[in-house]
Amino acid sequence: MELKEARRLKILTEPVFLLLVKTSIPTIIGMLVNVIYNLTDTFFVGILNNRSMTAAIGVIFSFVSIIQAVGFWFGYGSGNAMSKKIGEKDYKEAEIISSLGIIFAVASGIIIAVLSKIFIIPLVNLIGGNASENLMIFSVKYLDIIIVSIPFGLYSITVYNQLRLCGNVKDGMTGLLAGMFSNMILDPILMFKLKMGFIGAGYATLIGQIIGCIVLTVLSNGNIPISISKAKCNKERIYHILAGGLPNFSRQAITSAALILLNVTAARYKESIIAALTVSSKVIALAYMIMIGWGQGFQPICAMNYGAKKYERVKKSFIITVFCGTVFLIFSAIILYIFSEQCIGTMTRDKEVIEIGARILRLQCFTLPFIGFFAVSSMLMQNIGQYFLALIISVSRQGLFYIPLLFILPAVYGEFGIYLAQPVSDFLSFILAIIIVGNYYFKIIKRS
């Protein structure tokens, strides 16, 4: 109890900027590793110099993103509710909510895995893996292995987010990194040393997920211990888990749906566009995920101080988080624009894919700085309990704007319209976030 109280007092009393740095460094490191982790399969498969294999990684990633969305739903929903309860010094309730979140995640994972295994061919067709015969074959083979990892992945994401949102960032990140590093090490061993080729990447992911689960379970006693036996359902707990995590689920799920629609749209032109979109999205994700890591450092500060009714600290931490994040994204956009071809070239040797990917990357650099305010605004609304406003901001980038633009812009500009969709969507979602925060921010935060 002393450790929990000390962690709570630190978040409620330490200078905001220094506290943001302390809470965000582990999450930024985790996000960096996560980006590298997501790049690993693409990088090593790229060495095989097979365009269909690279495209298959992108196709299956859209499905994996949907699975991650479920984990974020239960992880963020339960973790956010737990953090506010800790701010109120109600540790017993936090443990109950933790148990419920984990049960929801694992049960969902098992159901999704079974259904995915049964309907694997229709599933690959649905997510855009039927652009060519080779793409279909590689997508099915890779997905067949990834399906087994689904329950382990949902468990890991849920426990990690519970630990992180309750202020125990270090242990949560250690568990997550253990699985990622295992995957990264196993990729070249299984693919080349053991001569498993493309399929080795899938097995490396599966083993990494299992290792991550084990380490997270061992480390979970640092704040709120995992205790399934304490799970007790009531309407209020279920509401806060489901409603509190809905913005994260919706954002990730709609992003996944957008990726699937993008693959289907790009398939009308040529396979190289799918590969280029896959590679360029993973490169731009490097800057975006670092920004998200910085924003995640803001979340426990926001939720816990809001629970303790320290509204001025919530407002101050929001302003500092947005300012620093935007400055970082400006510098990132400049660097990625200048070295776009070199960045894309690290992921593939295909000259056509490099040319198209660099063009897509440069366009996205123009609106990259706007993403900081957009992302942190959604986190703010979610952590103070304004779930509906958080939901609107969260789904706007890929749902309200990107998906309609994928129909409109290619119809007007053809292939170039596909490249324009994401930058235009980023700018429009930034404007919407400004309107929502401008109208509601001071009403919500200013209580005294």
Side-chain angles (χ1 to χ4, degrees):
M1 186 65 71
E2 290 182 4
L3 179 61
K4 297 175 185 176
E5 185 62 20
R7 188 177 289 117
R8 173 181 177 273
L9 290 174
K10 181 178 74 172
I11 291 178
L12 297 181
T13 59
E14 279 196 7
V16 172
F17 179 75
L18 293 177
L19 186 59
L20 269 169
V21 172
K22 290 178 183 178
T23 55
S24 64
I25 284 177
T27 55
I28 289 173
I29 293 172
M31 285 296 169
L32 277 171
V33 177
N34 187 44
V35 171
I36 297 170
Y37 166 70
N38 287 328
L39 287 171
T40 301
D41 286 354
T42 305
F43 174 78
F44 286 113
V45 170
I47 294 175
L48 300 175
N49 200 26
N50 186 306
R51 186 182 296 175
S52 295
M53 290 181 180
T54 302
I57 295 292
V59 168
I60 301 307
F61 182 74
S62 62
F63 173 72
V64 172
S65 295
I66 295 176
I67 304 306
Q68 291 175 340
V70 178
F72 290 143
W73 191 359
F74 299 129
Y76 273 83
S78 57
N80 187 41
M82 290 163 64
S83 184
K84 283 186 281 192
K85 290 300 176 182
I86 291 173
E88 298 168 5
K89 301 183 73 171
D90 190 349
Y91 296 105
K92 182 178 179 181
E93 182 65 17
E95 291 185 16
I96 295 173
I97 294 171
S98 170
S99 302
L100 283 174
I102 292 169
I103 289 174
F104 290 163
V106 175
S108 299
I110 294 171
I111 294 171
I112 294 171
V114 171
L115 292 176
S116 299
K117 187 73 173 179
I118 295 171
F119 300 105
I120 188 168
I121 299 297
L123 179 58
V124 171
N125 285 324
L126 179 65
I127 62 179
N130 56 353
S132 70
E133 184 178 351
N134 283 337
L135 179 58
M136 183 72 178
I137 292 170
F138 289 125
S139 296
V140 170
K141 287 183 177 180
Y142 189 70
L143 180 58
D144 193 45
I145 301 167
I146 296 301
I147 284 171
V148 183
S149 71
I150 291 175
F152 301 103
L154 292 184
Y155 175 89
S156 295
I157 293 172
T158 301
V159 175
Y160 160 68
N161 280 293
Q162 288 181 352
L163 290 171
R164 180 181 64 79
L165 285 162
C166 291
N168 194 0
V169 182
K170 182 180 177 181
D171 285 346
M173 193 57 60
T174 300
L176 201 65
L177 294 183
M180 292 180 183
F181 279 126
S182 299
N183 187 351
M184 292 161 61
I185 293 169
L186 288 170
D187 259 328
I189 294 174
L190 297 181
M191 290 178 66
F192 305 115
K193 188 73 174 177
L194 299 181
K195 298 181 180 180
M196 296 176 69
F198 176 74
I199 297 303
Y203 282 109
T205 300
L206 172 59
I207 296 170
Q209 292 282 15
I210 295 172
I211 292 173
C213 284
I214 295 170
V215 176
L216 277 167
T217 302
V218 172
L219 295 175
S220 64
N221 290 325
N223 198 322
I224 301 297
I226 297 172
S227 179
I228 304 302
S229 62
K230 295 183 179 180
K232 298 176 183 178
C233 286
N234 64 30
K235 290 183 180 179
E236 183 180 358
R237 290 165 187 156
I238 294 174
Y239 167 76
H240 283 295
I241 291 173
L242 298 184
L246 186 59
N248 301 89
F249 169 77
S250 301
R251 179 179 63 245
Q252 188 74 9
I254 288 177
T255 298
S256 303
L259 283 173
I260 293 169
L261 179 59
L262 178 61
N263 291 333
V264 173
T265 304
R268 299 172 188 167
Y269 297 92
K270 47 190 173 181
E271 195 175 81
S272 59
I273 295 181
I274 299 178
L277 289 163
T278 298
V279 174
S280 62
S281 67
K282 290 181 181 292
V283 172
I284 200 76
L286 179 62
Y288 179 64
M289 296 305 282
I290 292 174
M291 173 63 227
I292 295 297
W294 173 248
Q296 286 183 344
F298 158 77
Q299 288 187 293
I301 300 172
C302 177
M304 208 169 290
N305 278 280
Y306 189 80
K309 295 181 171 55
K310 290 182 173 285
Y311 304 120
E312 282 301 314
R313 283 177 63 83
V314 175
K315 183 167 66 174
K316 186 175 181 180
S317 62
F318 172 73
I319 293 171
I320 293 173
T321 304
V322 170
F323 176 79
C324 294
T326 302
V327 170
F328 164 75
L329 289 176
I330 290 171
F331 282 107
S332 298
I334 294 171
I335 293 171
L336 289 175
Y337 187 92
I338 295 172
F339 298 103
S340 56
E341 289 189 3
Q342 292 88 335
C343 291
I344 300 297
T346 61
M347 295 291 104
T348 179
R349 298 174 183 177
D350 190 307
K351 291 183 180 180
E352 184 180 7
V353 173
I354 292 174
E355 181 183 350
I356 297 173
R359 193 180 185 189
I360 295 170
L361 183 59
R362 290 192 193 106
L363 286 171
Q364 292 183 351
C365 285
F366 286 107
T367 55
L368 181 62
F370 298 126
I371 293 178
F373 184 88
F374 159 79
V376 182
S377 295
S378 176
M379 293 176 183
L380 167 71
M381 295 300 176
Q382 181 180 14
N383 290 127
I384 63 176
Q386 296 295 316
Y387 302 137
F388 178 72
L389 295 178
L391 176 63
I392 295 298
I393 297 174
S394 293
V395 302
S396 65
R397 182 172 177 245
Q398 299 297 81
L400 297 180
F401 301 122
Y402 185 71
I403 290 178
L405 287 170
L406 269 180
F407 288 101
I408 298 169
L409 294 179
V412 178
Y413 299 106
E415 180 181 316
F416 185 63
I418 298 176
Y419 311 158
L420 283 175
Q422 191 63 70
V424 175
S425 173
D426 289 345
F427 178 73
L428 293 176
S429 58
F430 165 72
I431 297 299
L432 178 63
I434 286 180
I435 293 171
I436 291 176
V437 172
N439 284 337
Y440 295 96
Y441 178 63
F442 291 104
K443 296 178 184 177
I444 295 167
I445 296 300
K446 195 171 182 180
R447 291 288 190 272
S448 59

